[in-house]
Structures are given as structure tokens and as C-alpha cells.
């Protein structure tokens, strides 16, 4: 069996997906790639099932909001526990239409991770079996991790400078 490392995984992805997988980078040795939402399930399936990859453990699904570009990055962390190698897969989606196919078709554990990402970022996972809030109350009409809300209430009087002699 050939050694599985970042270089071999990069080559596997390039051979199979070509330009559909881009943004290849290795910050701090963690292989990071970008793809699109139309092929994310195919890419994840390939990484999970292909000999030479075998990223069978889904460590995390989360998101990052980039308000300057009006995009949300949905981020998947996968782990090949046999070869002790990890990969980060990013998919950028527009903040006005934040939807992406569910990974619950590959990992049952994606269920709660996707619910948390929906709860905090508003990302709708198409085909999810039970997409509803998991940590915030149902009545909350915002997604608190989106960077479109001020960090502090501007109307708080206990934060005004004149009360502190400034």
C-alpha cells in the first residue's frame, strides 16, 4: 500500500476533479482545498471511499462568514485515522442564498454539525433529515455568528464616555 500524504491526496484530487478542486494550500501542514457546492458530495464521497485517501472520519462541519465578499465558507474537516492525515475542504456560497447539499448521506454524525451551522450561520443543508435550531431558541430570528450585527448595543448608557470622565 502506497503512503498517504498531502502530496498523494493532492494528486488524487487533481486527477479525478481537475479544476473543480482549487485553492490547494497547506497552512501549518493541514491540507486545505476548495471546491463548489455542485460537486461537494462527490468530492467528500471520493475522499471517504477511495483507496489512497480513506478520510473516513468527519471531524467537524462549520462555517466562516466573510462580509466583505458577501460569502460564507462551509468548512469540512476530515481525518484519515490510519495514516494520521487530515484535510480541510471549503465551499464558498453567497450569503443571500446560503444552501448546500447535506453530508448526512455520508456520515450520520453530520446531522448535529449541520444543525449547529444552520443555527449560527443560517446555512440551509438541502436534504437534511431534521434541519432545525440546536442551541438557540426557536424564536430567535437571526443567526448570531453572521458578522452583520454590532458587537455591542450602541444604546447602552453604561458604556458612554462622559460617565467615565473621558
Amino acid at each position: 500500500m502506497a503512503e498517504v500524504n498531502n502530496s498523494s491526496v493532492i494528486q488524487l484530487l487533481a486527477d479525478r476533479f481537475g479544476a473543480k478542486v482549487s485553492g490547494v494550500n497547506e497552512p501549518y501542514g493541514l491540507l486545505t482545498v476548495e471546491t463548489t457546492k455542485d460537486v461537494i458530495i462527490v468530492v467528500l464521497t471520493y475522499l471517504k471511499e477511495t483507496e489512497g485517501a480513506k478520510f473516513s472520519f468527519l471531524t467537524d462541519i462549520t462555517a466562516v462568514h466573510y462580509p466583505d465578499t458577501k460569502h460564507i465558507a462551509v468548512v469540512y474537516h476530515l481525518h484519515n485515522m490510519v495514516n494520521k492525515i487530515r484535510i480541510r475542504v471549503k465551499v464558498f456560497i453567497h450569503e443571500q442564498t446560503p444552501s448546500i447539499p447535506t453530508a448526512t448521506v455520508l456520515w450520520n454524525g453530520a446531522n448535529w454539525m449541520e444543525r449547529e451551522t444552520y443555527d449560527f450561520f443560517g446555512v440551509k443543508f438541502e436534504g437534511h433529515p431534521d434541519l432545525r435550531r440546536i442551541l438557540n431558541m426557536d424564536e430567535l430570528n437571526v443567526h448570531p455568528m453572521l458578522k452583520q450585527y454590532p458587537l455591542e448595543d450602541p444604546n447602552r448608557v453604561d458604556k458612554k464616555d462622559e460617565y467615565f470622565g473621558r
Side-chain angles (χ1 to χ4, degrees):
M1 182 186 338
E3 180 185 358
V4 178
N5 56 35
N6 287 359
S7 299
S8 67
V9 173
I10 291 168
Q11 191 60 52
L12 277 174
L13 290 171
D15 292 346
R16 171 65 173 84
F17 297 102
K20 287 283 189 179
V21 173
S22 62
V24 177
N25 199 349
E26 295 181 65
Y28 303 102
L30 176 58
L31 178 58
T32 303
V33 299
E34 296 174 16
T35 191
T36 58
K37 77 178 193 176
D38 59 321
V39 295
I40 184 60
I41 298 304
V42 177
V43 170
L44 292 174
T45 302
Y46 185 78
L47 288 169
K48 180 181 180 185
E49 297 175 355
T50 301
E51 199 61 45
K54 294 289 184 183
F55 290 94
S56 59
F57 186 76
L58 176 66
T59 307
D60 191 25
I61 300 174
T62 190
V64 179
H65 184 211
Y66 295 94
D68 295 339
T69 63
K70 299 196 181 313
H71 283 90
I72 296 172
V74 179
V75 184
Y76 301 82
H77 288 107
L78 309 176
H79 198 145
N80 174 326
M81 303 197 46
V82 173
N83 298 102
K84 299 179 180 79
I85 182 173
R86 298 178 302 143
I87 187 170
R88 176 189 301 137
V89 181
K90 294 182 179 181
V91 177
F92 288 89
I93 56 179
H94 198 276
E95 69 181 12
Q96 295 301 315
T97 54
S99 68
I100 192 166
T102 182
T104 57
V105 295
L106 297 171
W107 293 281
N108 289 334
N111 189 319
W112 284 27
M113 296 176 199
E114 290 179 351
R115 284 180 59 191
E116 179 186 42
T117 304
Y118 164 72
D119 194 1
F120 285 107
F121 292 93
V123 175
K124 293 174 184 72
F125 291 90
E126 301 161 4
H128 190 281
D130 186 22
L131 192 62
R132 59 189 164 99
R133 291 194 180 269
I134 192 168
L135 294 170
N136 290 306
M137 58 249 172
D138 293 334
E139 300 79 35
L140 189 66
N141 60 1
V142 297
H143 300 283
M145 292 300 287
L146 294 178
K147 296 177 184 172
Q148 60 198 37
Y149 309 108
L151 293 177
E152 289 188 11
D153 181 0
N155 299 317
R156 284 184 61 176
V157 295
D158 62 332
K159 296 285 186 166
K160 298 203 182 284
D161 283 345
E162 64 250 21
Y163 294 126
F164 298 98
R166 296 182 274 202

